[in-house]
């Protein structure tokens, strides 16, 4: 027979989702979760503006990067646009989502909940044909006969090879790991909302030396409470004294607390404060370095997680290692035109890229003769560099002979 705890788990399953059964009262908001008195979970934490901004910044940045499947043949690398995984990861993961929305959603889930899931739907030949995002709360990790499987709501058991997983550090939610930190930020936010909701009036007590009947106390308390939420001068009842018992925002260091907690949240998610519009010591000279730090230390780890999971589960073993997925991190520099111009100029002068390859990066059509690679010596073609060198050597020899 099901115990009371079992019935409670079933009752709150769809509201709570993943939970610690010992904290079920906290999960549904019956008791505060943190010492600060705020109830913090993955959903409520998004009402803290800095949490939302950090999650959005990471998820939207990853989703905006170009993701393609490539095939390497000898030294030549080309998009594998005929591979079954190509369209899935680049443009159409399923029938209802664009690639941008899909990757933004699954990365946001991984950032907030610690895991992002998508069920891989395959055809009769085993090729992946759909990536269907599954909410974290709808997936239960189980062990069946020593094998890890996933119990998915409305789908049943899903084997590991058919579940695309994007994992955060330790597969744990940073919201739950840093619940006390976020609770302090939420309490400071609620304090400000309550203070301004009372028109800036401070909590206090009315006292008098005169004995009062219960009816008199009720009338005075009611009249005082009704005027407390209104701006303007308050009339003190005769013989009464008002004593404030709450502290002012200045005394509570309200602004300083909110600013410090916002910076703490940025540390949790490894996002520079300037990228979520927080006041900082950022100047025009170092903003590029902050963007580079964000790309290198925050975005690159996420892209590598995704690339390795795609290669592991969407690309068959017989296609490896020739076929692989890769994000284009060049998109992180797209907004800095001066840096892009300098980069492409260096690549052209060194003969690494041709004019048409540069134009392709900028989504421009090729031009006639633009496939020739040149070097800085008069920008001559690489296939003529040997003849040019021989010609220079012959000229030098003739000049030296004439001098003798």
């Amino acid at each position: 027979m099901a115990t009371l705890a079992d019935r409670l788990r079933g009752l709150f399953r769809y509201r709570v989702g993943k939970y610690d059964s010992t904290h079920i009262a906290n999960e549904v908001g019956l008791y505060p979760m943190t010492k600060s008195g705020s109830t913090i979970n993955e959903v409520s934490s998004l009402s803290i503006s800095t949490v939302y901004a950090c999650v959005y910044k990471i998820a939207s940045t990853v989703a905006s990067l170009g993701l393609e499947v490539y095939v390497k043949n000898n030294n030549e690398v080309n998009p594998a646009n005929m591979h079954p995984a190509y369209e899935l990861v680049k443009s159409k993961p399923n029938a209802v989502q664009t690639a941008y929305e899909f990757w933004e959603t699954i990365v946001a889930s991984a950032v907030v909940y610690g895991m992002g899931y998508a069920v891989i739907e395959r055809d009769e030949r085993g090729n992946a044909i759909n990536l269907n995002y599954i909410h974290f709360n709808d997936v239960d990790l189980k062990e069946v006969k020593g094998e890890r499987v996933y119990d998915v709501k409305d789908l049943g058991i899903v084997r590991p090879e058919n579940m695309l997983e994007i994992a955060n550090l330790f597969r744990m939610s940073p919201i739950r790991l840093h619940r006390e930190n976020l609770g302090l930020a939420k309490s400071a936010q609620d304090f400000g909302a309550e203070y301004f909701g009372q028109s800036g009036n401070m909590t206090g007590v009315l006292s008098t030396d005169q004995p009062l009947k219960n009816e008199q106390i009720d009338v005075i308390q009611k009249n005082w409470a009704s005027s407390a939420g209104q701006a303007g001068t308050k009339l003190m009842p005769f013989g009464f004294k008002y004593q404030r018992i709450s502290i002012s925002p200045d005394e509570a260091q309200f602004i300083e607390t909110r600013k410090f907690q916002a910076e703490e949240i940025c540390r949790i998610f490894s996002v520079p404060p300037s990228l979520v519009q927080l006041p900082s010591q950022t100047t025009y000279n170092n903003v590029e370095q902050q963007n580079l730090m964000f790309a290198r230390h925050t975005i690159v780890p996420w892209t590598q997680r995704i690339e390795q999971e795609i290669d592991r589960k969407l690309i068959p073993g017989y296609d490896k290692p020739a076929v692989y997925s890769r994000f284009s991190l060049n998109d992180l520099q797209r907004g800095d035109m001066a840096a892009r111009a300098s980069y492409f100029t260096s690549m052209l002068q060194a003969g690494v890229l041709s004019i048409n390859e540069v134009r392709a990066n900028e989504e421009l059509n090729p031009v006639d003769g633009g496939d020739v690679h040149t070097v800085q010596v008069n920008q001559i073609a690489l296939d003529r560099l040997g003849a040019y060198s021989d010609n220079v050597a012959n000229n030098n020899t003739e000049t030296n002979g004439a001098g003798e």
Side-chain angles (χ1 to χ4, degrees):
M1 178 180 290
T3 64
L4 176 60
D6 292 332
R7 291 197 295 271
L8 283 173
R9 291 188 188 101
L11 176 63
F12 293 112
R13 166 67 178 164
Y14 297 116
R15 177 176 177 183
V16 177
K18 294 295 181 62
Y19 58 88
D20 181 341
S21 59
T22 60
H23 297 156
I24 193 167
N26 305 111
E27 295 284 359
V28 298
L30 297 179
Y31 302 107
M33 287 180 167
T34 63
K35 295 176 183 177
S36 62
S38 296
T39 298
I40 294 295
N41 54 41
E42 289 83 358
V43 176
S44 65
S45 67
L46 293 176
S47 66
I48 304 172
S49 61
T50 312
V51 173
Y52 181 90
C54 288
V55 173
Y56 174 78
K57 179 60 67 175
I58 294 172
S60 62
T61 301
V62 173
S64 67
L65 299 176
L67 174 59
E68 294 199 37
V69 176
Y70 293 95
V71 57
K72 186 174 183 179
N73 185 11
N74 296 325
N75 292 326
E76 187 174 337
V77 177
N78 293 300
N81 49 22
M82 300 304 294
H83 195 278
Y86 183 86
E87 185 176 331
L88 279 181
V89 303
K90 182 176 175 62
S91 58
K92 190 180 179 182
N94 54 60
V96 296
Q97 288 181 304
T98 63
Y100 183 98
E101 181 185 357
F102 173 81
W103 291 116
E104 183 180 49
T105 303
I106 197 171
V107 171
S109 176
V111 172
V112 173
Y113 290 95
M115 291 295 298
Y117 294 109
V119 171
I120 304 170
E121 185 181 340
R122 301 183 187 274
D123 60 18
E124 63 278 359
R125 292 179 295 181
N127 293 323
I129 57 175
N130 275 314
L131 297 176
N132 299 310
Y133 169 75
I134 303 294
H135 195 279
F136 173 83
N137 288 339
D138 293 333
V139 181
D140 273 334
L141 181 62
K142 295 183 176 181
E143 290 240 353
V144 177
K145 296 181 180 179
E147 181 185 11
R148 185 175 68 178
V149 296
Y150 304 88
D151 187 2
V152 181
K153 178 186 172 184
D154 298 332
L155 286 180
I157 299 299
V158 176
R159 295 177 61 84
E161 62 267 22
N162 292 324
M163 180 69 80
L164 190 77
E165 302 174 277
I166 309 301
N168 207 334
L169 182 65
F170 300 130
R171 296 177 169 240
M172 297 180 69
S173 166
I175 304 300
R176 294 179 180 269
L177 288 173
H178 299 276
R179 183 177 285 166
E180 292 294 342
N181 226 334
L182 299 176
L184 180 55
K186 184 68 164 59
S187 294
Q189 176 177 291
D190 293 343
F191 172 79
E194 183 178 355
Y195 176 77
F196 289 107
Q198 295 177 351
S199 301
N201 293 315
M202 309 298 295
T203 302
V205 295
L206 291 174
S207 61
T208 180
D209 296 331
Q210 302 298 321
L212 298 174
K213 297 180 180 180
N214 290 336
E215 294 80 3
Q216 293 174 310
I217 293 175
D218 291 340
V219 170
I220 293 173
Q221 186 176 18
K222 182 178 179 180
N223 291 339
W224 182 261
S226 64
S227 66
Q230 302 173 2
T233 304
K234 304 295 186 294
L235 180 63
M236 186 76 70
F238 178 75
F240 279 79
K241 296 179 182 179
Y242 175 79
Q243 182 178 1
R244 194 187 78 189
I245 60 174
S246 62
I247 61 176
S248 68
D250 283 344
E251 292 170 330
Q253 293 188 313
F254 174 66
I255 299 298
E256 291 82 358
T257 299
R258 294 209 65 187
K259 181 179 178 181
F260 179 76
Q261 288 309 120
E263 293 173 349
E264 282 280 273
I265 294 170
C266 287
R267 275 189 281 271
I268 292 170
F269 290 101
S270 190
V271 175
S274 63
L275 295 186
V276 290
Q277 289 77 53
L278 285 177
S280 65
Q281 301 300 317
T282 303
T283 65
Y284 182 81
N285 292 329
N286 64 23
V287 67
E288 184 178 348
Q289 291 302 314
Q290 288 210 14
N291 289 336
L292 186 60
M293 280 180 51
F294 177 65
R296 182 175 299 166
H297 300 296
T298 305
I299 298 303
V300 168
W302 282 107
T303 60
Q304 291 195 354
R305 288 184 181 108
I306 296 171
E307 289 168 357
Q308 292 177 10
E309 186 70 357
I310 289 173
D311 294 348
R312 193 162 70 103
K313 295 182 178 176
L314 298 185
I315 298 175
Y318 53 78
D319 284 336
K320 300 173 185 177
V323 178
Y324 59 93
S325 63
R326 188 72 75 241
F327 277 94
S328 174
L329 298 179
N330 291 335
D331 288 354
L332 289 177
Q333 294 182 328
R334 185 171 293 277
D336 189 346
M337 299 306 295
R340 289 178 67 80
S342 175
Y343 167 76
F344 285 130
T345 298
S346 299
M347 293 297 100
L348 280 170
Q349 291 177 351
V352 177
L353 296 176
S354 68
I355 292 175
N356 281 344
E357 286 172 332
V358 173
R359 292 178 64 84
N361 272 285
E362 296 300 307
E363 298 183 344
L364 298 173
N365 293 327
V367 296
D368 293 338
D371 293 323
V372 176
H373 288 253
T374 61
V375 291
Q376 194 170 5
V377 183
N378 295 327
Q379 295 291 288
I380 66 172
L382 286 175
D383 57 0
R384 299 178 57 191
L385 185 59
Y388 175 82
S389 178
D390 292 340
N391 187 37
V392 171
N394 291 334
N395 287 339
N396 289 338
T397 300
E398 290 175 1
T399 301
N400 292 337
E404 295 174 355

